[in-house]
Amino acid sequence: MQLGAHVSTSGGIHTAIDRIEAIGGDCVQIFTQSPRTWRPTNHDPANFERFKERRAEVGIGGALCHALYLINLASPADEIYEKSTAALENTVDVACAIEADVVFHVGSHQGAGFEVGLKRAVPALRKALEHCSETTWLLIENAAGAGGTIGRSIEELAALCDALGAYERLGICLDSCHLYVSGYDVTKRKELDRVLAEVDDRIGLDRLRALHVNDSKSPLGSNSDRHDNIGEGLLGEELGVFLSHPKLQGLPAYLEVPGADGHGPDAEQVRKLKELHARATKKPRGGSGRKRRGVARDAG
């Protein structure tokens, strides 16, 4: 398993590689623009090339661009819907330029019902998928389930994939915290086996391209999306059940946790994640792994 984190791109999109290297990650997730505004960043094309060059030099595996949280492809409001469609397409275009995948939340039907929201979202998703390249997939992330969010269950993720005709570059990303708070107890091996069997049956495990590995401040089935640092939340050591599942090995897994100072994942969180994975899979750490500013880089 590739173990990495979401990092900042302050100073240019290429700087993300320096940051993930500094904290010892194997894979990297970024925003392609400020997550607090609709206005896209005007990237210097040279920085796209620097990103790819540095990624190859450092040996970073997976790369993932997280679309804006503002996006709501199921919104009944035309202005929000149009802005959301344009923002997702822009994210895909940037991801294609750096050869990364895109992960996103569909949004909320805002009380109109899942079927209404589905019909609203599908045309926008088709447009975004037309922007994908052979190196870039569009990944639907499972939601925590608050309000009228779409994608809160494996069944809803499957319905989205079915409505899009199992498009070639359409995939999913599973978030451990979101699964837990939407009622899937991924701290139990039998339940996780059942979840992954459902994914395989309804969607196909070949479409599972990425993981978000987060502990949770909120209880099972609460539908409350509150991430916690590794080992500090309600999943605790049993997050290792998720990390060690044989069917999830080889995937890139990204941290989206507060970190020590509330500014996001840091070297300590990456270290804790790698140690938890090592304990859960009973693999020795260290060995020939190289060190980065005091943080051991494991084979995964």
Side-chain angles (χ1 to χ4, degrees), residues 17-247:
I17 302 299
D18 295 333
R19 290 187 173 93
I20 198 65
E21 180 185 23
I23 65 174
D26 306 319
C27 52
V28 64
Q29 177 179 284
I30 59 172
F31 287 125
T32 63
Q33 65 185 81
S34 168
R36 296 179 292 277
T37 179
W38 291 107
R39 186 177 64 254
T41 297
N42 184 21
H43 294 281
D44 181 347
N47 289 342
F48 296 151
E49 296 308 311
R50 291 190 189 102
F51 182 99
K52 291 186 287 187
E53 288 167 5
R54 287 286 294 131
R55 179 182 175 188
E57 287 171 7
V58 176
I60 296 301
L64 196 58
C65 295
H66 201 305
L68 297 181
Y69 293 125
L70 296 172
I71 286 175
N72 186 357
L73 301 175
S75 175
D78 288 341
E79 182 181 2
I80 297 298
Y81 180 81
E82 289 166 7
K83 284 182 175 179
S84 299
T85 302
L88 184 58
E89 289 175 6
N90 179 264
T91 304
V92 173
D93 289 343
V94 174
C96 288
I98 62 171
E99 299 180 358
D101 284 348
V102 172
V103 65
F104 72 103
H105 297 278
V106 176
S108 170
H109 56 68
Q110 299 180 337
F114 176 76
E115 291 300 327
V116 173
L118 181 67
K119 289 179 182 178
R120 184 71 158 162
V122 165
L125 290 173
R126 287 194 187 281
K127 289 182 179 179
L129 283 163
E130 289 171 2
H131 284 246
C132 289
S133 68
E134 62 276 5
T135 59
T136 296
W137 282 48
L138 190 63
L139 310 183
I140 309 169
E141 181 176 351
N142 64 305
T149 50
I150 290 175
R152 66 176 67 195
S153 65
I154 306 304
E155 181 180 7
E156 289 192 0
L157 293 177
L160 283 159
C161 291
D162 290 345
L164 289 160
Y167 196 95
E168 184 181 1
R169 287 178 290 279
L170 176 66
I172 63 170
C173 170
L174 293 181
D175 184 304
S176 56
C177 173
H178 297 172
L179 285 168
Y180 188 74
V181 300
S182 59
Y184 298 102
D185 191 353
V186 295
T187 68
K188 303 289 192 298
R189 176 59 187 267
K190 286 186 178 180
E191 173 66 359
L192 184 56
D193 284 343
R194 188 193 68 75
V195 169
L196 295 179
E198 185 179 358
V199 169
D200 198 23
D201 180 59
R202 299 294 306 277
I203 301 169
L205 280 174
D206 58 323
R207 293 188 182 273
L208 176 55
R209 299 263 296 184
L211 306 171
H212 284 162
V213 184
N214 302 302
D215 209 328
S216 176
K217 293 179 183 289
S218 303
L220 179 69
S222 63
N223 300 127
S224 175
D225 187 7
R226 298 169 65 225
H227 297 185
D228 208 346
N229 289 325
I230 299 300
E232 297 177 18
L234 295 174
L235 280 71
E237 185 71 15
E238 298 312 307
L239 179 57
V241 174
F242 184 79
L243 279 171
S244 65
H245 198 285
K247 292 184 178 179

